[in-house]
Amino acid sequence: MVELGPELRRRRESAGLSLDKMARLVHFTKGHLSKVENGHTQANRELAAAYDRVLEANGDLVAIAEAQPARRKPRGLMGLPAHTAHFVGRTAELTALSAVLGERQNVKVAVISGMAGSGKTALAVAAARAAADSFPDGCLLFDLRGHSPGMHAQSPAETAHHLLQSLDTAQDLIPADPDGRTNLLRDTLRNRDVLVVLDNVRNADQVRSLLPAEGRSRVIVTSRWRLPSLDDAWHIDIDALTPPEALRLFQSLMRGETAVDDGDAAAIVAHCGHLPLAIRIAAARVLRGGWSARRFLQRLADRSTKLAYLEETERGVSAALAITCDLLPPEQRDLLGLMANHPSTSMPVPSVQAVAGLAPGDTDLLLDGLHEAHLVSRTPDEQVHLHDLVHTYAMQHVRPSDELARPAFDRLVEHYLAAAIAADELLEPARHRPAVRASLHSETPFEDAAGALAWMRSQWPTLVRLTDLVTDQRCWQLALAVRGFFFQEKLYDSWIHMHLAALTTAVGDPAATGRVLNGIGMARLEMGQVAESVDCHERALASFVKAGDKAGAVDASASLAWARMHQGEATAAMEGLTAALAEYRRAGRERNTVITLRGIAFALTCLDRFAEARTHATEARRSASAPIDVVRGINCLAWVEYRTGETARARELYAEAADLAELADNGFERARALTGLGNVAARTGAQEEAATWWAQAGDHYAGLVPVVVWEAHARVELTGS
């Protein structure tokens, strides 16, 4: 077999070319050509092709190069860091990376992205170590310093130079120009089985020219940015650990040296947002810092001190987040700071639009940038999520000037007020409500009643928090807008909390005070606090009278009558409700008319005036337009029939109400109807059937209050408990 090196020298000399001249023609160094021609270095196909072209060898030299037996190479450099003993979780991610590094032959690059401190490097090292045997030519890790404070990000040419050196490329073979280096690197990787981890990458341009186009070599990239422009890569976004994984990490780091109560440990990792970096710092504080877990937990629980206690000399959550935030364009940084005004870490996109005060499209572009930087997470359901530590950091370190922040908060409050009113109108279109003007400052967050209900169910905690922050009339306006939803969902504690906050902002406005007091009285009654309810409605009535608000006074009188009925004053209740009914009919307030008809039917039933009660209950059912009011009317009529002794008719009506309540997605009224069916069964001697119905009722709603729910009271009478 012809040896390639001597053959290259023979043909060059036959052509009358000096080694220096040949080096210039083939674009390789003179020293490298000398080593190849003297057999000290094996020529690759690229060099043989260059000689072939210059010497017009018609492919002979390439054929000789391809026929050369490969020299036996030693095991490549294993440059991966030691595998941590405290790596937990990430099973799905490791499985995906194993596929990329193994059988997914069409994928050469995997991108692991996540927020600062999420454990990207640890995951990359774990995956690389697991796959190391498949890459005999080496497993290497290079820190590209994309997020290293005080250091410049490494250029592609610098990285290519370091990689080529690690792959035993002679110094004199490494081209000086950037393109030459990256070309040589890709060619080298094409002929090797190498796994390279490019850690701490700032942007796609920092690595794009380094990535292999073909061959067995693979690259894992880690970055705080999602790097979506690396189209051909396999992208793996990582988030914080799951709560069980976070607890396992903390316990692993504690090494059994310090006993920490399981509850305290779970609380510590929760306050760390289940972020690996934060958990590692917290564990070190408890293990080596002389802190008791309980005392350290108290510091973490205080938002104003949390980040300070998640900092060490060489690492820290604030320091890590600062690097990412400092790289943001000013507009994105401002939006992140404004979003810290939001009382929740999760928010719909329209509420972000309101905070931004920009056109929806412009806000979307800014959100895209924050999403790419893993400072927010935007989901297909049009929700934006901030990690708790990002939210805390933004509140403390990225807050914009008051000149920007105050109008942004006002827009946010007005947005939620307008959205809550719009949702309330869709959910209860016939309900009488005061006129309030407010602007969304955004796209419409929902289009129909189903969307309005979904919005209310996801946003009511934010509405409650807003009433703790707002000190003007918008506070009580928010409370009144959410009252109908709270009544439907039976969220009594939040209902009371919100209205008590609202009461302080209604001072000086007797009509507003009356509305808020009336709302509190309704909640108290639903909770079975009848005496407190009576007190609130009496005070509400006095406020309406003082304000000269006749419609409000009628509402307070009607509510007061309901409360008195549950105090055992059925006659007074019927009189008050009858007077209110006349006013509601006169004013054309149809829904209030339906509600009051039911109240009169209940009062008449208490007085054993069953025929009259049946008439009023039947009218209430017939006049109802809202599906849930139809259900309530049927339950009312069923109660009248039950008390009358018409158990067959009561059973029929309760069954109908149960089915319709399920369609209306109202667990309270369904539980009421099912309890009624159990009462009917028990009254007719079918105790097992009764127990079944009562159990089903408890599955749908376990909080029926016997003091104010007639069916629950009847069950107590039947069972003694």
Coordinates of all heavy atoms in Angstrom, one line a residue, residues 608-687:
D608 N -96.8 27.3 58.1 CA -97.7 26.2 57.7 C -98.8 26.7 56.7 O -99.8 26.0 56.7 CB -98.3 25.5 58.9 CG -97.3 24.8 59.8 OD1 -96.2 24.5 59.2 OD2 -97.5 24.6 61.0
R609 N -98.5 27.7 56.0 CA -99.5 28.2 55.0 C -99.0 27.6 53.6 O -98.5 28.3 52.8 CB -99.6 29.7 55.0 CG -100.2 30.2 56.3 CD -99.9 31.7 56.6 NE -100.4 32.6 55.6 CZ -100.3 33.9 55.6 NH1 -99.7 34.5 56.7 NH2 -100.7 34.7 54.7
F610 N -99.2 26.3 53.5 CA -98.6 25.6 52.4 C -99.2 25.9 51.0 O -98.4 26.0 50.0 CB -98.7 24.1 52.6 CG -98.0 23.7 53.9 CD1 -98.7 23.0 54.9 CD2 -96.7 24.0 54.2 CE1 -98.1 22.6 56.1 CE2 -96.1 23.6 55.3 CZ -96.8 22.9 56.3
A611 N -100.5 26.1 50.9 CA -101.1 26.4 49.6 C -100.5 27.8 49.1 O -100.1 27.9 47.9 CB -102.6 26.5 49.7
E612 N -100.4 28.8 50.0 CA -99.9 30.1 49.5 C -98.4 29.9 49.2 O -97.9 30.6 48.2 CB -100.1 31.1 50.6 CG -101.5 31.4 51.0 CD -101.6 32.3 52.2 OE1 -101.4 33.5 52.1 OE2 -101.9 31.7 53.3
A613 N -97.7 29.1 50.0 CA -96.3 28.9 49.7 C -96.1 28.3 48.4 O -95.2 28.7 47.6 CB -95.7 28.1 50.8
R614 N -96.9 27.3 48.1 CA -96.8 26.6 46.8 C -97.0 27.6 45.6 O -96.3 27.6 44.6 CB -97.8 25.5 46.7 CG -97.7 24.7 45.4 CD -98.7 23.5 45.3 NE -98.5 22.5 46.3 CZ -99.3 22.3 47.4 NH1 -100.4 23.0 47.6 NH2 -99.0 21.3 48.2
T615 N -98.0 28.5 45.8 CA -98.3 29.5 44.7 C -97.1 30.4 44.5 O -96.7 30.6 43.3 CB -99.5 30.3 45.2 OG1 -100.6 29.5 45.3 CG2 -99.8 31.4 44.1
H616 N -96.5 30.9 45.6 CA -95.3 31.8 45.4 C -94.1 31.0 44.9 O -93.4 31.6 44.0 CB -95.0 32.4 46.8 CG -95.9 33.5 47.2 ND1 -97.1 33.3 47.7 CD2 -95.7 34.9 47.1 CE1 -97.7 34.5 47.9 NE2 -96.9 35.5 47.6
A617 N -93.9 29.8 45.3 CA -92.7 29.0 44.8 C -92.9 28.7 43.3 O -92.0 28.7 42.6 CB -92.6 27.7 45.6
T618 N -94.2 28.4 42.9 CA -94.4 28.1 41.5 C -94.2 29.3 40.7 O -93.6 29.2 39.6 CB -95.9 27.6 41.4 OG1 -96.1 26.4 42.2 CG2 -96.2 27.2 39.9
E619 N -94.6 30.5 41.1 CA -94.4 31.7 40.4 C -92.9 32.0 40.3 O -92.4 32.4 39.2 CB -95.1 32.9 41.0 CG -95.0 34.1 40.2 CD -95.7 35.3 40.8 OE1 -96.3 35.2 41.8 OE2 -95.5 36.4 40.2
A620 N -92.2 31.8 41.4 CA -90.7 32.0 41.3 C -90.0 31.1 40.3 O -89.2 31.5 39.6 CB -90.1 31.7 42.7
R621 N -90.5 29.8 40.3 CA -89.9 28.9 39.3 C -90.2 29.4 37.9 O -89.4 29.4 37.0 CB -90.4 27.5 39.5 CG -89.9 26.5 38.5 CD -90.6 25.1 38.7 NE -90.1 24.2 37.7 CZ -90.5 23.0 37.6 NH1 -91.4 22.5 38.5 NH2 -90.1 22.2 36.6
R622 N -91.5 29.7 37.6 CA -92.0 30.0 36.3 C -91.3 31.4 35.8 O -91.1 31.5 34.6 CB -93.5 30.2 36.3 CG -94.1 30.4 34.9 CD -95.6 30.4 35.0 NE -96.1 31.6 35.8 CZ -96.7 31.5 37.0 NH1 -96.9 30.3 37.5 NH2 -97.1 32.5 37.6
S623 N -91.1 32.3 36.7 CA -90.6 33.6 36.3 C -89.1 33.7 36.2 O -88.5 34.7 35.7 CB -91.0 34.7 37.4 OG -92.4 34.7 37.5
A624 N -88.4 32.7 36.6 CA -86.9 32.7 36.6 C -86.4 32.6 35.2 O -86.9 31.8 34.4 CB -86.4 31.5 37.4
S625 N -85.4 33.4 34.9 CA -84.8 33.3 33.5 C -83.4 32.7 33.6 O -83.0 32.0 32.7 CB -84.7 34.7 32.9 OG -84.0 35.6 33.8
A626 N -82.6 33.0 34.6 CA -81.3 32.4 34.7 C -81.4 30.9 35.1 O -82.2 30.6 36.0 CB -80.5 33.1 35.8
P627 N -80.6 30.0 34.5 CA -80.7 28.6 34.9 C -80.6 28.3 36.3 O -81.3 27.5 36.9 CB -79.6 28.0 34.1 CG -79.4 28.9 32.9 CD -79.7 30.3 33.4
I628 N -79.7 29.0 37.0 CA -79.5 28.7 38.4 C -80.7 29.2 39.3 O -81.1 28.5 40.3 CB -78.2 29.4 39.0 CG1 -77.9 28.8 40.4 CG2 -78.3 30.9 39.0 CD1 -77.7 27.3 40.4
D629 N -81.4 30.2 38.8 CA -82.6 30.6 39.5 C -83.7 29.6 39.3 O -84.6 29.5 40.2 CB -83.0 32.0 39.1 CG -82.2 33.1 39.7 OD1 -81.8 32.9 40.9 OD2 -81.9 34.2 39.1
V630 N -83.8 29.0 38.1 CA -84.7 27.9 37.9 C -84.5 26.8 38.9 O -85.4 26.3 39.5 CB -84.6 27.4 36.4 CG1 -85.5 26.2 36.3 CG2 -85.0 28.5 35.4
V631 N -83.2 26.4 39.1 CA -82.9 25.3 40.0 C -83.3 25.7 41.4 O -83.9 24.9 42.2 CB -81.4 25.1 40.0 CG1 -81.0 24.0 41.1 CG2 -80.9 24.6 38.6
R632 N -83.0 27.0 41.8 CA -83.4 27.4 43.2 C -84.9 27.4 43.3 O -85.4 27.1 44.4 CB -82.8 28.8 43.4 CG -81.3 28.8 43.6 CD -80.7 30.2 43.6 NE -79.2 30.2 43.7 CZ -78.4 31.0 43.1 NH1 -78.9 32.0 42.4 NH2 -77.1 30.9 43.3
G633 N -85.6 27.8 42.3 CA -87.1 27.8 42.4 C -87.6 26.4 42.5 O -88.6 26.1 43.3
I634 N -87.0 25.4 41.8 CA -87.5 24.0 41.9 C -87.2 23.5 43.3 O -88.0 22.8 44.0 CB -86.8 23.1 40.8 CG1 -87.2 23.6 39.5 CG2 -87.2 21.7 41.0 CD1 -86.5 22.9 38.3
N635 N -86.0 23.8 43.8 CA -85.6 23.3 45.2 C -86.6 23.9 46.2 O -87.0 23.3 47.2 CB -84.2 23.7 45.6 CG -83.2 22.6 45.2 OD1 -83.5 21.4 45.2 ND2 -81.9 23.0 45.0
C636 N -86.9 25.2 46.0 CA -87.9 25.9 46.9 C -89.3 25.2 46.9 O -89.8 24.9 47.9 CB -88.0 27.3 46.5 SG -89.3 28.3 47.5
L637 N -89.7 24.9 45.7 CA -91.0 24.2 45.5 C -91.0 22.8 46.1 O -91.9 22.3 46.8 CB -91.4 24.2 44.1 CG -92.8 23.6 43.7 CD1 -93.9 24.3 44.5 CD2 -93.0 23.6 42.2
A638 N -89.8 22.1 45.9 CA -89.7 20.8 46.5 C -89.7 20.8 48.0 O -90.3 19.9 48.7 CB -88.3 20.2 46.1
W639 N -89.1 21.9 48.6 CA -89.2 22.0 50.1 C -90.6 22.2 50.6 O -91.1 21.6 51.6 CB -88.3 23.2 50.5 CG -88.5 23.5 52.0 CD1 -89.0 24.6 52.5 CD2 -88.1 22.7 53.1 NE1 -89.0 24.6 53.9 CE2 -88.4 23.4 54.3 CE3 -87.5 21.4 53.2 CZ2 -88.2 22.9 55.5 CZ3 -87.2 20.9 54.5 CH2 -87.6 21.6 55.6
V640 N -91.4 23.0 49.8 CA -92.8 23.2 50.2 C -93.5 21.9 50.2 O -94.3 21.6 51.1 CB -93.4 24.2 49.3 CG1 -94.9 24.4 49.5 CG2 -92.8 25.6 49.4
E641 N -93.3 21.1 49.1 CA -94.0 19.8 49.0 C -93.6 18.8 50.1 O -94.4 18.1 50.6 CB -93.8 19.2 47.6 CG -94.3 20.1 46.4 CD -95.8 20.2 46.4 OE1 -96.5 19.7 47.2 OE2 -96.2 20.9 45.5
Y642 N -92.3 18.9 50.4 CA -91.8 18.0 51.5 C -92.5 18.3 52.8 O -93.0 17.4 53.5 CB -90.3 18.2 51.6 CG -89.7 17.4 52.8 CD1 -89.4 16.1 52.6 CD2 -89.5 18.1 54.0 CE1 -88.8 15.4 53.7 CE2 -88.9 17.4 55.1 CZ -88.6 16.0 54.9 OH -88.1 15.4 56.0
R643 N -92.6 19.6 53.1 CA -93.2 20.0 54.3 C -94.7 19.8 54.3 O -95.3 19.5 55.4 CB -93.0 21.5 54.6 CG -91.6 21.9 55.1 CD -91.4 21.4 56.5 NE -92.5 21.7 57.4 CZ -92.7 22.9 58.0 NH1 -91.8 23.9 57.8 NH2 -93.8 23.1 58.7
T644 N -95.3 19.8 53.1 CA -96.7 19.6 53.0 C -97.0 18.1 53.2 O -98.1 17.7 53.6 CB -97.2 20.0 51.6 OG1 -96.9 21.4 51.4 CG2 -98.7 19.8 51.5
G645 N -96.0 17.2 53.0 CA -96.2 15.8 53.1 C -96.3 15.1 51.8 O -96.5 13.9 51.8
E646 N -96.2 15.9 50.7 CA -96.3 15.3 49.4 C -94.9 14.7 49.0 O -94.2 15.3 48.1 CB -96.8 16.3 48.4 CG -98.2 16.9 48.7 CD -99.2 15.9 48.4 OE1 -99.0 14.9 47.7 OE2 -100.3 16.0 49.0
T647 N -94.5 13.6 49.6 CA -93.2 13.1 49.4 C -92.9 12.7 48.0 O -91.8 12.8 47.5 CB -92.9 12.0 50.4 OG1 -93.9 11.0 50.2 CG2 -92.9 12.4 51.8
A648 N -93.9 12.1 47.3 CA -93.6 11.7 45.9 C -93.3 12.9 45.0 O -92.4 12.8 44.2 CB -94.8 10.9 45.4
R649 N -94.1 13.9 45.2 CA -93.9 15.1 44.4 C -92.6 15.8 44.8 O -91.9 16.3 43.9 CB -95.1 16.1 44.6 CG -95.0 17.4 43.9 CD -94.9 17.3 42.4 NE -94.9 18.6 41.7 CZ -94.4 18.8 40.6 NH1 -93.8 17.8 39.9 NH2 -94.4 20.0 40.0
A650 N -92.3 15.8 46.1 CA -91.0 16.4 46.5 C -89.8 15.6 45.9 O -88.8 16.2 45.4 CB -90.9 16.3 48.0
R651 N -89.9 14.2 45.9 CA -88.9 13.4 45.3 C -88.7 13.8 43.8 O -87.5 14.0 43.3 CB -89.2 12.0 45.4 CG -88.1 11.1 44.8 CD -88.4 9.6 44.8 NE -88.4 9.1 46.2 CZ -89.5 8.7 46.9 NH1 -90.7 8.8 46.3 NH2 -89.4 8.2 48.1
E652 N -89.8 13.9 43.1 CA -89.7 14.2 41.7 C -89.0 15.6 41.5 O -88.2 15.8 40.6 CB -91.1 14.3 41.1 CG -91.2 14.6 39.7 CD -92.7 14.7 39.2 OE1 -93.5 14.0 39.7 OE2 -93.0 15.6 38.3
L653 N -89.4 16.6 42.3 CA -88.8 17.9 42.1 C -87.3 18.0 42.5 O -86.5 18.6 41.8 CB -89.6 18.9 42.9 CG -91.0 19.2 42.4 CD1 -91.9 20.0 43.5 CD2 -91.0 20.1 41.1
Y654 N -87.0 17.3 43.6 CA -85.6 17.3 44.0 C -84.7 16.6 43.0 O -83.6 17.1 42.7 CB -85.4 16.6 45.4 CG -85.7 17.5 46.5 CD1 -86.5 17.1 47.6 CD2 -85.1 18.8 46.6 CE1 -86.8 17.9 48.7 CE2 -85.3 19.6 47.8 CZ -86.2 19.2 48.8 OH -86.4 20.0 49.9
A655 N -85.2 15.6 42.3 CA -84.4 14.9 41.3 C -84.2 15.8 40.1 O -83.1 15.8 39.5 CB -85.2 13.6 40.9
E656 N -85.3 16.5 39.7 CA -85.1 17.5 38.6 C -84.1 18.5 39.0 O -83.3 18.9 38.1 CB -86.5 18.1 38.3 CG -86.5 19.1 37.1 CD -87.8 19.7 36.9 OE1 -88.8 19.5 37.7 OE2 -87.9 20.5 35.9
A657 N -84.2 19.1 40.2 CA -83.3 20.1 40.6 C -81.8 19.6 40.6 O -80.9 20.3 40.2 CB -83.7 20.6 42.0
A658 N -81.6 18.4 41.1 CA -80.3 17.8 41.1 C -79.7 17.7 39.7 O -78.5 18.1 39.5 CB -80.3 16.4 41.8
D659 N -80.4 17.3 38.7 CA -80.0 17.2 37.4 C -79.6 18.6 36.8 O -78.6 18.7 36.1 CB -81.0 16.5 36.5 CG -81.1 15.0 36.8 OD1 -80.2 14.4 37.5 OD2 -82.1 14.4 36.5
L660 N -80.5 19.5 37.0 CA -80.3 20.8 36.4 C -79.2 21.6 37.1 O -78.4 22.3 36.5 CB -81.6 21.7 36.5 CG -82.8 21.2 35.7 CD1 -84.0 22.1 36.0 CD2 -82.4 21.3 34.2
A661 N -79.0 21.3 38.4 CA -77.9 21.9 39.1 C -76.5 21.4 38.6 O -75.6 22.2 38.5 CB -78.0 21.7 40.6
E662 N -76.5 20.1 38.2 CA -75.3 19.6 37.7 C -75.0 20.2 36.3 O -73.8 20.6 36.0 CB -75.4 18.1 37.5 CG -74.1 17.4 37.0 CD -74.2 15.9 37.1 OE1 -75.3 15.4 37.0 OE2 -73.1 15.3 37.2
L663 N -76.0 20.5 35.5 CA -75.8 21.1 34.2 C -75.4 22.6 34.4 O -74.6 23.1 33.6 CB -77.1 21.1 33.4 CG -77.6 19.8 32.9 CD1 -78.9 19.9 32.2 CD2 -76.5 19.2 31.9
A664 N -75.9 23.2 35.5 CA -75.5 24.6 35.8 C -74.2 24.7 36.5 O -73.7 25.8 36.9 CB -76.6 25.3 36.6
D665 N -73.5 23.6 36.8 CA -72.2 23.5 37.5 C -72.3 24.2 38.9 O -71.5 25.0 39.2 CB -71.2 24.2 36.6 CG -69.7 24.0 37.2 OD1 -69.6 23.0 37.9 OD2 -68.9 24.8 36.9
N666 N -73.4 23.9 39.6 CA -73.6 24.5 40.9 C -73.7 23.4 42.0 O -74.7 22.8 42.2 CB -74.8 25.4 41.0 CG -74.9 26.3 42.2 OD1 -75.1 25.8 43.3 ND2 -74.8 27.6 42.0
G667 N -72.5 23.2 42.7 CA -72.5 22.1 43.6 C -73.4 22.3 44.8 O -73.9 21.4 45.4
F668 N -73.5 23.6 45.2 CA -74.3 23.9 46.4 C -75.8 23.5 46.2 O -76.4 22.8 47.0 CB -74.3 25.4 46.7 CG -75.1 25.8 47.9 CD1 -74.5 25.8 49.2 CD2 -76.4 26.3 47.8 CE1 -75.3 26.2 50.3 CE2 -77.1 26.7 48.8 CZ -76.6 26.7 50.1
E669 N -76.4 23.9 45.1 CA -77.8 23.6 44.9 C -78.0 22.1 44.6 O -79.0 21.6 44.9 CB -78.4 24.5 43.7 CG -78.5 25.9 44.0 CD -79.5 26.2 45.1 OE1 -80.4 25.5 45.3 OE2 -79.2 27.2 45.9
R670 N -77.0 21.5 44.0 CA -77.1 20.1 43.7 C -77.0 19.3 45.1 O -77.8 18.4 45.3 CB -76.0 19.6 42.8 CG -76.0 18.1 42.6 CD -75.1 17.7 41.4 NE -75.0 16.2 41.3 CZ -75.9 15.4 40.8 NH1 -77.0 15.8 40.4 NH2 -75.6 14.1 40.8
A671 N -76.2 19.7 46.0 CA -76.1 19.1 47.3 C -77.4 19.3 48.1 O -77.8 18.4 48.8 CB -74.9 19.7 48.1
R672 N -78.0 20.5 47.9 CA -79.3 20.8 48.5 C -80.3 19.8 48.0 O -81.1 19.2 48.8 CB -79.7 22.2 48.2 CG -80.4 22.9 49.3 CD -80.8 24.3 48.9 NE -82.2 24.5 49.1 CZ -82.9 25.5 48.7 NH1 -82.3 26.5 48.0 NH2 -84.1 25.6 49.0
A673 N -80.4 19.6 46.7 CA -81.4 18.7 46.1 C -81.1 17.3 46.6 O -82.1 16.5 46.9 CB -81.4 18.8 44.6
L674 N -79.9 16.8 46.6 CA -79.6 15.5 47.0 C -79.9 15.2 48.4 O -80.3 14.2 48.8 CB -78.1 15.2 46.7 CG -77.7 15.2 45.2 CD1 -76.2 15.1 45.1 CD2 -78.3 14.0 44.5
T675 N -79.6 16.3 49.3 CA -80.0 16.2 50.7 C -81.5 16.0 50.8 O -82.0 15.2 51.6 CB -79.5 17.4 51.5 OG1 -78.1 17.5 51.3 CG2 -79.9 17.3 52.9
G676 N -82.2 16.8 50.0 CA -83.7 16.7 50.0 C -84.1 15.3 49.6 O -85.1 14.7 50.2
L677 N -83.5 14.7 48.6 CA -83.8 13.3 48.2 C -83.6 12.3 49.4 O -84.4 11.4 49.6 CB -83.0 12.9 47.0 CG -83.5 13.5 45.7 CD1 -82.4 13.2 44.6 CD2 -84.8 13.0 45.3
G678 N -82.5 12.5 50.1 CA -82.2 11.7 51.3 C -83.2 11.9 52.4 O -83.6 10.9 53.0
N679 N -83.7 13.1 52.5 CA -84.7 13.4 53.5 C -86.0 12.7 53.2 O -86.7 12.1 54.1 CB -85.0 14.9 53.7 CG -83.8 15.6 54.2 OD1 -82.9 15.1 54.8 ND2 -83.8 16.9 54.0
V680 N -86.4 12.7 51.9 CA -87.6 12.0 51.5 C -87.5 10.5 51.7 O -88.4 9.9 52.2 CB -87.9 12.3 50.0 CG1 -89.0 11.4 49.4 CG2 -88.2 13.8 49.8
A681 N -86.3 10.0 51.4 CA -86.1 8.5 51.6 C -86.2 8.2 53.0 O -86.9 7.2 53.4 CB -84.8 8.1 51.0
A682 N -85.6 9.0 53.9 CA -85.6 8.7 55.3 C -87.0 8.8 55.9 O -87.4 8.0 56.7 CB -84.6 9.6 56.1
R683 N -87.7 9.8 55.4 CA -89.1 10.0 55.9 C -90.0 8.8 55.5 O -91.0 8.6 56.2 CB -89.6 11.3 55.3 CG -90.8 11.8 56.0 CD -91.1 13.2 55.6 NE -92.3 13.8 56.2 CZ -92.7 15.0 56.0 NH1 -92.1 15.8 55.1 NH2 -93.8 15.5 56.6
T684 N -89.7 8.2 54.4 CA -90.5 7.0 54.0 C -89.9 5.7 54.4 O -90.3 4.6 53.9 CB -90.7 7.1 52.5 OG1 -89.4 7.1 51.8 CG2 -91.4 8.3 52.0
G685 N -88.9 5.7 55.3 CA -88.4 4.5 55.9 C -87.2 3.9 55.1 O -86.7 2.8 55.5
A686 N -86.8 4.5 54.0 CA -85.7 3.9 53.2 C -84.3 4.4 53.7 O -83.7 5.3 53.1 CB -85.9 4.2 51.7
Q687 N -83.8 3.9 54.8 CA -82.7 4.5 55.5 C -81.4 4.3 54.7 O -80.6 5.2 54.6 CB -82.5 3.9 56.9 CG -83.7 4.2 57.8 CD -83.9 5.7 58.0 OE1 -83.0 6.5 58.0 NE2 -85.2 6.1 58.2

